[in-house]
Amino acid sequence: VFRVDRASDIRQVIQYAKRHGMKSVIAGGGEAWLVAQELAAAGVPVILDVLDNLPSSFDHLGARLDNAALLHAAGVRIAFSYNDSHQARKNRQLAGNAAAHGLPRDAALAAITANPAEIFSLGALRGRIEQGQVADLVLWGGDPLEVTTIADQVWIAGHAVEMRSRQTELRDRYLERLR
């Protein structure tokens, strides 16, 4: 995984990986839309933080809101991740933002399910709802790309997860006092 944003750096990664027979993945990709055709031709996926969409440095001068949509349209496999790993729980917000800026809804869902599994060679076991896949599922009470939607139930490896946490216990305790 190569952490680069500038189009010129992405081109260098594509050439380097080809020269050394490597499977490469671009993380960041602020200017990836500028080289979308080259990424697609080389089969190089991009892991985007769609909220990193404004020119914040010289590496991001070409950043734009519809980066994910443009990459998808060119045939580049995309996934989402925040630059900070402790924010990984918000990946569906990234998918929702990308959908709001032109990425088809099905592609946004794939970017947080099947695509990451495929990018990291886990697609034979994870990322889809089908026979032979590990049964990690989330049942949402509404649109999973909407930040106000909460999970009604989670299953990991086919086993239901207790949906109680310290946060839900505190919520329930203090809501009772308000009533």
Side-chain angles (χ1 to χ4, degrees), residues 1-172:
V1 177
F2 295 85
R3 174 94 182 112
V4 293
D5 286 295
R6 286 189 303 188
S8 61
D9 293 338
I10 294 169
R11 283 188 181 106
Q12 289 295 315
V13 168
I14 293 170
Q15 291 172 6
Y16 179 85
K18 184 177 180 181
R19 188 169 47 248
H20 295 284
M22 298 171 64
K23 177 185 173 188
S24 61
V25 177
I26 300 297
E31 293 185 351
W33 66 274
L34 289 167
V35 292
Q37 297 301 325
E38 295 167 61
L39 287 163
V44 176
V46 179
I47 302 171
L48 297 167
D49 176 351
V50 297
L51 297 181
D52 194 9
N53 56 27
L54 297 174
S56 59
S57 71
F58 285 109
D59 289 349
H60 289 88
L61 287 178
R64 49 190 286 177
L65 294 167
D66 59 351
N67 192 3
L70 294 170
L71 289 169
H72 171 74
V76 177
R77 187 182 307 271
I78 60 169
F80 301 121
S81 181
Y82 274 93
N83 290 330
D84 301 320
S85 61
H86 68 279
Q87 298 290 352
R89 62 190 163 77
K90 295 184 179 180
N91 273 356
R92 66 188 183 100
Q93 179 182 356
L94 297 176
N97 275 33
H101 290 96
L103 183 66
R105 181 178 168 67
D106 289 346
L109 287 169
I112 57 175
T113 56
N115 288 0
E118 291 292 331
I119 289 169
F120 292 106
S121 302
L122 299 171
L125 297 174
R126 300 184 181 280
R128 292 181 177 77
I129 301 172
E130 58 187 47
Q131 189 171 357
Q133 295 276 306
V134 175
D136 294 341
L137 302 169
V138 180
L139 175 64
W140 297 98
D143 183 351
L145 300 183
E146 180 62 48
V147 295
T148 58
T149 300
I150 61 170
D152 289 339
Q153 184 61 58
V154 175
W155 293 268
I156 297 177
H159 302 285
V161 172
E162 175 66 42
M163 297 303 289
R164 286 176 46 119
S165 67
R166 178 164 170 73
Q167 287 79 14
T168 60
E169 289 176 5
L170 286 170
R171 176 201 64 202
D172 295 345

